[in-house]
Amino acid sequence: GAFAHWINGATGATIPFSPNDNGGDLVETSFLMQGLLVARQYFNTADPAEVTLRNNINALWDGVEWNWYRKNAENILYWHWSPTAGWAINAQVRGWNEALITYVMGASSRTDAIPNIVYHNGWANNGAIRNNNSYYGYQLPLGPPNGGPMFFEHYSFLGINPTGLADTYANYQAQTTNHTKINYEYCKANPRNYFGYSESCWGLTASDIPDNGYNASEPNNDLGVIAPTAALSSFPYAPVESMKALKFFYYTLGDKLWGPNGFYDAFSLKDAWFAGSTLAIDQGPIIVMIENYRTGLIWNLFTSCPEVKDGMRNLGFTAPYL
């Protein structure tokens, strides 16, 4: 009823992400479905190839078993299920993090929609999702102190437009913008005195790090590694600050950071280290969010889906596009 975290692109077979993560991954599936629905809305002519594509997308979309991931009809969604280990990972999808889209997609399903109590009890933890403290002069409606890694405001909002979006827990335009500004102001203030941090060199999120590691960088877990995707996927939220970063990354760091597939994944000026990797989950949001900043294209396509409008309204969201 869901796709795995990793699959073999040629055969479709699951590639285990870890020993017990060898089956369905509901969060990764929701990212995929978000993108497929955007494609369905874009390819909207009577051309036979486009009709076939839409039919195939609808078959995949309608086949996801969202309610299965409530594990015995609990009022929360679970991240993983394994055909060999069952619910062994036992990871509840509870906010605030990158998985708002999982609840929106679950509520929007035409075949297996979750009831809104699952959103309120599970994702929002009956209101405990709220923060509302201020950091660097910006009030943060939701999430951990200082906001956490920037991907919290990217993956779900590739399709969901936060502009004017609100529910009982938050104004999402304030959430996305203020989290970005907190991340920027933290790097500018540079309380750990890392060489290279500045108003033009900022952005903490999950990325590769030196010595073949990986880290979800954020103000409370800062190793001195900047990931271009953090600032560049934030263009809709902080265009002036994001453009400063773009110009620094491209014109000052140049070919140390720019390669055949765009910006490399991360760098540390304090360690004189530049990644040689490009990760799709970091590259993709850069492209999508620059386009959302320029034209709103992906936002407009995703939110034009009638089932998404219904699902979001059923969860209690309000927005000009709903």
mmCIF file of all heavy atoms in Angstrom, residues 167-207:
data_model
loop_
_atom_site.group_PDB
_atom_site.id
_atom_site.type_symbol
_atom_site.label_atom_id
_atom_site.label_comp_id
_atom_site.label_asym_id
_atom_site.label_seq_id
_atom_site.Cartn_x
_atom_site.Cartn_y
_atom_site.Cartn_z
ATOM 1 N N ASP A 167 -4.455 27.254 9.801
ATOM 2 C CA ASP A 167 -5.417 26.380 10.461
ATOM 3 C C ASP A 167 -5.426 26.757 11.937
ATOM 4 O O ASP A 167 -4.917 27.821 12.316
ATOM 5 C CB ASP A 167 -5.117 24.888 10.217
ATOM 6 C CG ASP A 167 -3.840 24.390 10.888
ATOM 7 O OD1 ASP A 167 -3.134 25.197 11.532
ATOM 8 O OD2 ASP A 167 -3.540 23.185 10.767
ATOM 9 N N THR A 168 -5.982 25.923 12.757
ATOM 10 C CA THR A 168 -6.105 26.275 14.173
ATOM 11 C C THR A 168 -4.769 26.365 14.886
ATOM 12 O O THR A 168 -4.673 26.955 15.962
ATOM 13 C CB THR A 168 -7.026 25.257 14.890
ATOM 14 O OG1 THR A 168 -7.329 25.740 16.196
ATOM 15 C CG2 THR A 168 -6.363 23.892 15.000
ATOM 16 N N TYR A 169 -3.718 25.841 14.278
ATOM 17 C CA TYR A 169 -2.415 25.780 14.940
ATOM 18 C C TYR A 169 -1.443 26.863 14.507
ATOM 19 O O TYR A 169 -0.560 27.237 15.286
ATOM 20 C CB TYR A 169 -1.777 24.408 14.713
ATOM 21 C CG TYR A 169 -2.690 23.282 15.116
ATOM 22 C CD1 TYR A 169 -3.307 22.485 14.161
ATOM 23 C CD2 TYR A 169 -2.981 23.056 16.462
ATOM 24 C CE1 TYR A 169 -4.177 21.471 14.532
ATOM 25 C CE2 TYR A 169 -3.858 22.048 16.837
ATOM 26 C CZ TYR A 169 -4.461 21.259 15.865
ATOM 27 O OH TYR A 169 -5.334 20.269 16.242
ATOM 28 N N ALA A 170 -1.560 27.344 13.276
ATOM 29 C CA ALA A 170 -0.518 28.250 12.780
ATOM 30 C C ALA A 170 -0.970 29.009 11.544
ATOM 31 O O ALA A 170 -1.879 28.590 10.818
ATOM 32 C CB ALA A 170 0.750 27.460 12.431
ATOM 33 N N ASN A 171 -0.296 30.122 11.322
ATOM 34 C CA ASN A 171 -0.268 30.779 10.021
ATOM 35 C C ASN A 171 0.989 30.272 9.327
ATOM 36 O O ASN A 171 2.107 30.501 9.807
ATOM 37 C CB ASN A 171 -0.229 32.298 10.192
ATOM 38 C CG ASN A 171 -0.095 33.035 8.875
ATOM 39 O OD1 ASN A 171 0.854 32.820 8.128
ATOM 40 N ND2 ASN A 171 -1.029 33.930 8.599
ATOM 41 N N TYR A 172 0.840 29.556 8.212
ATOM 42 C CA TYR A 172 1.974 28.855 7.611
ATOM 43 C C TYR A 172 2.871 29.775 6.802
ATOM 44 O O TYR A 172 4.037 29.454 6.568
ATOM 45 C CB TYR A 172 1.477 27.650 6.811
ATOM 46 C CG TYR A 172 0.916 26.616 7.760
ATOM 47 C CD1 TYR A 172 -0.424 26.658 8.157
ATOM 48 C CD2 TYR A 172 1.732 25.660 8.343
ATOM 49 C CE1 TYR A 172 -0.924 25.755 9.079
ATOM 50 C CE2 TYR A 172 1.240 24.755 9.268
ATOM 51 C CZ TYR A 172 -0.090 24.816 9.630
ATOM 52 O OH TYR A 172 -0.574 23.934 10.565
ATOM 53 N N GLN A 173 2.355 30.918 6.408
ATOM 54 C CA GLN A 173 3.228 31.914 5.798
ATOM 55 C C GLN A 173 4.197 32.452 6.841
ATOM 56 O O GLN A 173 5.399 32.606 6.577
ATOM 57 C CB GLN A 173 2.388 33.050 5.201
ATOM 58 C CG GLN A 173 3.194 34.034 4.376
ATOM 59 C CD GLN A 173 2.298 34.967 3.572
ATOM 60 O OE1 GLN A 173 1.087 34.779 3.470
ATOM 61 N NE2 GLN A 173 2.897 35.997 3.000
ATOM 62 N N ALA A 174 3.702 32.694 8.047
ATOM 63 C CA ALA A 174 4.582 33.117 9.141
ATOM 64 C C ALA A 174 5.544 32.000 9.536
ATOM 65 O O ALA A 174 6.734 32.251 9.801
ATOM 66 C CB ALA A 174 3.756 33.549 10.349
ATOM 67 N N GLN A 175 5.068 30.768 9.557
ATOM 68 C CA GLN A 175 5.914 29.635 9.928
ATOM 69 C C GLN A 175 7.100 29.495 8.980
ATOM 70 O O GLN A 175 8.259 29.408 9.409
ATOM 71 C CB GLN A 175 5.099 28.342 9.932
ATOM 72 C CG GLN A 175 5.907 27.067 10.106
ATOM 73 C CD GLN A 175 6.560 26.941 11.469
ATOM 74 O OE1 GLN A 175 6.069 27.493 12.449
ATOM 75 N NE2 GLN A 175 7.665 26.211 11.543
ATOM 76 N N THR A 176 6.826 29.459 7.698
ATOM 77 C CA THR A 176 7.891 29.233 6.711
ATOM 78 C C THR A 176 8.848 30.427 6.646
ATOM 79 O O THR A 176 10.072 30.257 6.594
ATOM 80 C CB THR A 176 7.300 28.951 5.330
ATOM 81 O OG1 THR A 176 6.375 29.993 4.965
ATOM 82 C CG2 THR A 176 6.578 27.619 5.300
ATOM 83 N N THR A 177 8.296 31.629 6.679
ATOM 84 C CA THR A 177 9.133 32.822 6.591
ATOM 85 C C THR A 177 9.979 32.992 7.845
ATOM 86 O O THR A 177 11.198 33.232 7.772
ATOM 87 C CB THR A 177 8.266 34.071 6.373
ATOM 88 O OG1 THR A 177 7.545 33.936 5.143
ATOM 89 C CG2 THR A 177 9.121 35.327 6.315
ATOM 90 N N ASN A 178 9.366 32.858 9.010
ATOM 91 C CA ASN A 178 10.097 33.130 10.244
ATOM 92 C C ASN A 178 11.133 32.060 10.547
ATOM 93 O O ASN A 178 12.210 32.371 11.064
ATOM 94 C CB ASN A 178 9.120 33.303 11.406
ATOM 95 C CG ASN A 178 8.330 34.603 11.286
ATOM 96 O OD1 ASN A 178 8.539 35.381 10.356
ATOM 97 N ND2 ASN A 178 7.428 34.843 12.220
ATOM 98 N N HIS A 179 10.833 30.806 10.223
ATOM 99 C CA HIS A 179 11.860 29.772 10.383
ATOM 100 C C HIS A 179 13.072 30.111 9.513
ATOM 101 O O HIS A 179 14.225 29.989 9.946
ATOM 102 C CB HIS A 179 11.283 28.410 10.022
ATOM 103 C CG HIS A 179 12.230 27.274 10.229
ATOM 104 N ND1 HIS A 179 11.910 25.976 9.922
ATOM 105 C CD2 HIS A 179 13.511 27.210 10.689
ATOM 106 C CE1 HIS A 179 12.929 25.183 10.199
ATOM 107 N NE2 HIS A 179 13.916 25.913 10.656
ATOM 108 N N THR A 180 12.825 30.546 8.289
ATOM 109 C CA THR A 180 13.920 30.910 7.395
ATOM 110 C C THR A 180 14.729 32.066 7.959
ATOM 111 O O THR A 180 15.979 32.037 7.969
ATOM 112 C CB THR A 180 13.365 31.294 6.014
ATOM 113 O OG1 THR A 180 12.571 30.216 5.502
ATOM 114 C CG2 THR A 180 14.485 31.593 5.038
ATOM 115 N N LYS A 181 14.047 33.089 8.444
ATOM 116 C CA LYS A 181 14.741 34.264 8.978
ATOM 117 C C LYS A 181 15.539 33.900 10.229
ATOM 118 O O LYS A 181 16.640 34.432 10.454
ATOM 119 C CB LYS A 181 13.732 35.375 9.285
ATOM 120 C CG LYS A 181 13.037 35.956 8.048
ATOM 121 C CD LYS A 181 13.992 36.661 7.131
ATOM 122 C CE LYS A 181 13.310 37.315 5.946
ATOM 123 N NZ LYS A 181 12.511 38.499 6.292
ATOM 124 N N ILE A 182 15.023 32.993 11.054
ATOM 125 C CA ILE A 182 15.760 32.546 12.239
ATOM 126 C C ILE A 182 17.046 31.829 11.820
ATOM 127 O O ILE A 182 18.127 32.068 12.388
ATOM 128 C CB ILE A 182 14.876 31.635 13.113
ATOM 129 C CG1 ILE A 182 13.736 32.454 13.748
ATOM 130 C CG2 ILE A 182 15.699 30.929 14.187
ATOM 131 C CD1 ILE A 182 12.610 31.597 14.301
ATOM 132 N N ASN A 183 16.946 30.961 10.826
ATOM 133 C CA ASN A 183 18.115 30.238 10.333
ATOM 134 C C ASN A 183 19.162 31.222 9.790
ATOM 135 O O ASN A 183 20.365 31.119 10.093
ATOM 136 C CB ASN A 183 17.663 29.251 9.250
ATOM 137 C CG ASN A 183 18.668 28.150 8.974
ATOM 138 O OD1 ASN A 183 19.664 28.379 8.314
ATOM 139 N ND2 ASN A 183 18.377 26.946 9.453
ATOM 140 N N TYR A 184 18.690 32.204 9.047
ATOM 141 C CA TYR A 184 19.573 33.222 8.475
ATOM 142 C C TYR A 184 20.231 34.055 9.577
ATOM 143 O O TYR A 184 21.453 34.265 9.579
ATOM 144 C CB TYR A 184 18.748 34.111 7.540
ATOM 145 C CG TYR A 184 19.427 35.390 7.130
ATOM 146 C CD1 TYR A 184 20.421 35.407 6.161
ATOM 147 C CD2 TYR A 184 19.058 36.608 7.703
ATOM 148 C CE1 TYR A 184 21.041 36.591 5.776
ATOM 149 C CE2 TYR A 184 19.666 37.793 7.336
ATOM 150 C CZ TYR A 184 20.652 37.783 6.373
ATOM 151 O OH TYR A 184 21.255 38.948 5.995
ATOM 152 N N GLU A 185 19.431 34.531 10.526
ATOM 153 C CA GLU A 185 19.965 35.387 11.590
ATOM 154 C C GLU A 185 20.937 34.617 12.484
ATOM 155 O O GLU A 185 21.933 35.179 12.959
ATOM 156 C CB GLU A 185 18.831 35.975 12.423
ATOM 157 C CG GLU A 185 17.951 36.969 11.680
ATOM 158 C CD GLU A 185 18.667 38.273 11.349
ATOM 159 O OE1 GLU A 185 19.735 38.540 11.939
ATOM 160 O OE2 GLU A 185 18.167 39.012 10.487
ATOM 161 N N TYR A 186 20.656 33.339 12.708
ATOM 162 C CA TYR A 186 21.592 32.522 13.491
ATOM 163 C C TYR A 186 22.950 32.462 12.793
ATOM 164 O O TYR A 186 24.002 32.669 13.424
ATOM 165 C CB TYR A 186 21.036 31.113 13.693
ATOM 166 C CG TYR A 186 22.083 30.158 14.233
ATOM 167 C CD1 TYR A 186 22.332 30.059 15.597
ATOM 168 C CD2 TYR A 186 22.859 29.388 13.362
ATOM 169 C CE1 TYR A 186 23.322 29.226 16.077
ATOM 170 C CE2 TYR A 186 23.857 28.551 13.838
ATOM 171 C CZ TYR A 186 24.078 28.473 15.200
ATOM 172 O OH TYR A 186 25.068 27.654 15.676
ATOM 173 N N CYS A 187 22.944 32.162 11.499
ATOM 174 C CA CYS A 187 24.222 32.054 10.780
ATOM 175 C C CYS A 187 24.937 33.400 10.738
ATOM 176 O O CYS A 187 26.170 33.467 10.851
ATOM 177 C CB CYS A 187 23.989 31.520 9.371
ATOM 178 S SG CYS A 187 23.477 29.793 9.299
ATOM 179 N N LYS A 188 24.181 34.473 10.577
ATOM 180 C CA LYS A 188 24.782 35.811 10.550
ATOM 181 C C LYS A 188 25.397 36.156 11.910
ATOM 182 O O LYS A 188 26.500 36.705 11.990
ATOM 183 C CB LYS A 188 23.729 36.846 10.150
ATOM 184 C CG LYS A 188 24.316 38.210 9.865
ATOM 185 C CD LYS A 188 23.300 39.142 9.216
ATOM 186 C CE LYS A 188 22.305 39.659 10.231
ATOM 187 N NZ LYS A 188 21.499 40.796 9.684
ATOM 188 N N ALA A 189 24.683 35.811 12.994
ATOM 189 C CA ALA A 189 25.211 36.063 14.339
ATOM 190 C C ALA A 189 26.384 35.157 14.665
ATOM 191 O O ALA A 189 27.306 35.540 15.395
ATOM 192 C CB ALA A 189 24.101 35.868 15.375
ATOM 193 N N ASN A 190 26.368 33.929 14.136
ATOM 194 C CA ASN A 190 27.476 32.980 14.236
ATOM 195 C C ASN A 190 27.965 32.805 15.671
ATOM 196 O O ASN A 190 29.140 33.067 15.992
ATOM 197 C CB ASN A 190 28.629 33.431 13.324
ATOM 198 C CG ASN A 190 29.692 32.362 13.146
ATOM 199 O OD1 ASN A 190 29.472 31.180 13.441
ATOM 200 N ND2 ASN A 190 30.850 32.765 12.650
ATOM 201 N N PRO A 191 27.085 32.358 16.576
ATOM 202 C CA PRO A 191 27.480 32.264 17.987
ATOM 203 C C PRO A 191 28.604 31.276 18.254
ATOM 204 O O PRO A 191 29.271 31.373 19.290
ATOM 205 C CB PRO A 191 26.181 31.836 18.674
ATOM 206 C CG PRO A 191 25.359 31.193 17.610
ATOM 207 C CD PRO A 191 25.683 31.935 16.353
ATOM 208 N N ARG A 192 28.870 30.346 17.341
ATOM 209 C CA ARG A 192 29.957 29.388 17.546
ATOM 210 C C ARG A 192 31.256 29.829 16.864
ATOM 211 O O ARG A 192 32.241 29.086 16.870
ATOM 212 C CB ARG A 192 29.535 28.006 17.055
ATOM 213 C CG ARG A 192 28.260 27.504 17.739
ATOM 214 C CD ARG A 192 27.941 26.071 17.405
ATOM 215 N NE ARG A 192 26.582 25.741 17.853
ATOM 216 C CZ ARG A 192 26.147 24.537 18.168
ATOM 217 N NH1 ARG A 192 26.977 23.510 18.093
ATOM 218 N NH2 ARG A 192 24.906 24.336 18.544
ATOM 219 N N ASN A 193 31.201 30.992 16.233
ATOM 220 C CA ASN A 193 32.401 31.583 15.608
ATOM 221 C C ASN A 193 33.022 30.675 14.550
ATOM 222 O O ASN A 193 34.248 30.521 14.477
ATOM 223 C CB ASN A 193 33.443 31.944 16.681
ATOM 224 C CG ASN A 193 32.959 33.033 17.607
ATOM 225 O OD1 ASN A 193 32.453 34.058 17.158
ATOM 226 N ND2 ASN A 193 33.092 32.801 18.911
ATOM 227 N N TYR A 194 32.169 30.092 13.718
ATOM 228 C CA TYR A 194 32.672 29.276 12.617
ATOM 229 C C TYR A 194 33.180 30.183 11.494
ATOM 230 O O TYR A 194 32.478 31.110 11.063
ATOM 231 C CB TYR A 194 31.586 28.364 12.069
ATOM 232 C CG TYR A 194 31.263 27.173 12.963
ATOM 233 C CD1 TYR A 194 29.942 26.764 13.143
ATOM 234 C CD2 TYR A 194 32.272 26.446 13.597
ATOM 235 C CE1 TYR A 194 29.632 25.665 13.936
ATOM 236 C CE2 TYR A 194 31.975 25.355 14.387
ATOM 237 C CZ TYR A 194 30.650 24.963 14.556
ATOM 238 O OH TYR A 194 30.357 23.878 15.342
ATOM 239 N N PHE A 195 34.353 29.897 10.992
ATOM 240 C CA PHE A 195 34.914 30.680 9.889
ATOM 241 C C PHE A 195 33.993 30.566 8.668
ATOM 242 O O PHE A 195 33.589 29.476 8.269
ATOM 243 C CB PHE A 195 36.317 30.170 9.531
ATOM 244 C CG PHE A 195 36.923 30.889 8.361
ATOM 245 C CD1 PHE A 195 37.443 32.163 8.519
ATOM 246 C CD2 PHE A 195 36.945 30.309 7.104
ATOM 247 C CE1 PHE A 195 37.993 32.850 7.440
ATOM 248 C CE2 PHE A 195 37.494 30.971 6.021
ATOM 249 C CZ PHE A 195 38.017 32.244 6.189
ATOM 250 N N GLY A 196 33.673 31.725 8.083
ATOM 251 C CA GLY A 196 32.928 31.746 6.835
ATOM 252 C C GLY A 196 31.466 32.100 6.942
ATOM 253 O O GLY A 196 30.866 32.554 5.967
ATOM 254 N N TYR A 197 30.855 31.892 8.106
ATOM 255 C CA TYR A 197 29.440 32.235 8.242
ATOM 256 C C TYR A 197 29.264 33.750 8.081
ATOM 257 O O TYR A 197 30.044 34.537 8.620
ATOM 258 C CB TYR A 197 28.910 31.827 9.613
ATOM 259 C CG TYR A 197 28.569 30.363 9.782
ATOM 260 C CD1 TYR A 197 29.206 29.379 9.054
ATOM 261 C CD2 TYR A 197 27.597 29.973 10.695
ATOM 262 C CE1 TYR A 197 28.893 28.037 9.234
ATOM 263 C CE2 TYR A 197 27.261 28.636 10.883
ATOM 264 C CZ TYR A 197 27.923 27.672 10.155
ATOM 265 O OH TYR A 197 27.603 26.347 10.331
ATOM 266 N N SER A 198 28.207 34.151 7.369
ATOM 267 C CA SER A 198 27.944 35.573 7.167
ATOM 268 C C SER A 198 26.535 35.742 6.625
ATOM 269 O O SER A 198 25.823 34.759 6.396
ATOM 270 C CB SER A 198 28.947 36.176 6.178
ATOM 271 O OG SER A 198 28.655 35.758 4.855
ATOM 272 N N GLU A 199 26.147 36.987 6.374
ATOM 273 C CA GLU A 199 24.830 37.239 5.795
ATOM 274 C C GLU A 199 24.737 36.718 4.363
ATOM 275 O O GLU A 199 23.648 36.584 3.820
ATOM 276 C CB GLU A 199 24.504 38.733 5.825
ATOM 277 C CG GLU A 199 25.425 39.593 4.989
ATOM 278 C CD GLU A 199 25.045 41.058 5.038
ATOM 279 O OE1 GLU A 199 24.166 41.427 5.838
ATOM 280 O OE2 GLU A 199 25.643 41.827 4.272
ATOM 281 N N SER A 200 25.862 36.403 3.761
ATOM 282 C CA SER A 200 25.881 35.846 2.409
ATOM 283 C C SER A 200 26.198 34.361 2.386
ATOM 284 O O SER A 200 26.139 33.729 1.328
ATOM 285 C CB SER A 200 26.909 36.577 1.534
ATOM 286 O OG SER A 200 26.592 37.941 1.427
ATOM 287 N N CYS A 201 26.555 33.812 3.526
ATOM 288 C CA CYS A 201 26.941 32.393 3.606
ATOM 289 C C CYS A 201 26.186 31.778 4.776
ATOM 290 O O CYS A 201 26.651 31.798 5.918
ATOM 291 C CB CYS A 201 28.449 32.277 3.797
ATOM 292 S SG CYS A 201 29.057 30.570 3.760
ATOM 293 N N TRP A 202 25.013 31.252 4.474
ATOM 294 C CA TRP A 202 24.126 30.762 5.523
ATOM 295 C C TRP A 202 23.319 29.587 4.983
ATOM 296 O O TRP A 202 23.272 29.343 3.786
ATOM 297 C CB TRP A 202 23.185 31.879 6.001
ATOM 298 C CG TRP A 202 22.186 32.352 4.975
ATOM 299 C CD1 TRP A 202 22.394 33.272 3.982
ATOM 300 C CD2 TRP A 202 20.827 31.918 4.827
ATOM 301 N NE1 TRP A 202 21.268 33.446 3.230
ATOM 302 C CE2 TRP A 202 20.282 32.633 3.726
ATOM 303 C CE3 TRP A 202 20.016 31.016 5.507
ATOM 304 C CZ2 TRP A 202 18.958 32.450 3.299
ATOM 305 C CZ3 TRP A 202 18.698 30.833 5.087
ATOM 306 C CH2 TRP A 202 18.185 31.557 3.987
ATOM 307 N N GLY A 203 22.690 28.864 5.898
ATOM 308 C CA GLY A 203 21.770 27.798 5.514
ATOM 309 C C GLY A 203 22.115 26.463 6.125
ATOM 310 O O GLY A 203 23.066 25.796 5.704
ATOM 311 N N LEU A 204 21.340 26.076 7.149
ATOM 312 C CA LEU A 204 21.569 24.821 7.858
ATOM 313 C C LEU A 204 20.401 23.874 7.628
ATOM 314 O O LEU A 204 19.245 24.200 7.916
ATOM 315 C CB LEU A 204 21.724 25.086 9.362
ATOM 316 C CG LEU A 204 22.821 26.072 9.764
ATOM 317 C CD1 LEU A 204 22.825 26.267 11.275
ATOM 318 C CD2 LEU A 204 24.185 25.604 9.270
ATOM 319 N N THR A 205 20.715 22.692 7.113
ATOM 320 C CA THR A 205 19.711 21.653 6.902
ATOM 321 C C THR A 205 20.439 20.323 6.751
ATOM 322 O O THR A 205 21.654 20.248 6.887
ATOM 323 C CB THR A 205 18.825 21.972 5.680
ATOM 324 O OG1 THR A 205 17.657 21.146 5.692
ATOM 325 C CG2 THR A 205 19.575 21.801 4.367
ATOM 326 N N ALA A 206 19.709 19.267 6.480
ATOM 327 C CA ALA A 206 20.335 17.950 6.339
ATOM 328 C C ALA A 206 21.209 17.907 5.088
ATOM 329 O O ALA A 206 20.801 18.358 4.017
ATOM 330 C CB ALA A 206 19.265 16.866 6.277
ATOM 331 N N SER A 207 22.402 17.348 5.232
ATOM 332 C CA SER A 207 23.326 17.281 4.098
ATOM 333 C C SER A 207 24.452 16.319 4.413
ATOM 334 O O SER A 207 24.619 15.863 5.548
ATOM 335 C CB SER A 207 23.922 18.661 3.804
ATOM 336 O OG SER A 207 24.853 19.025 4.811
#
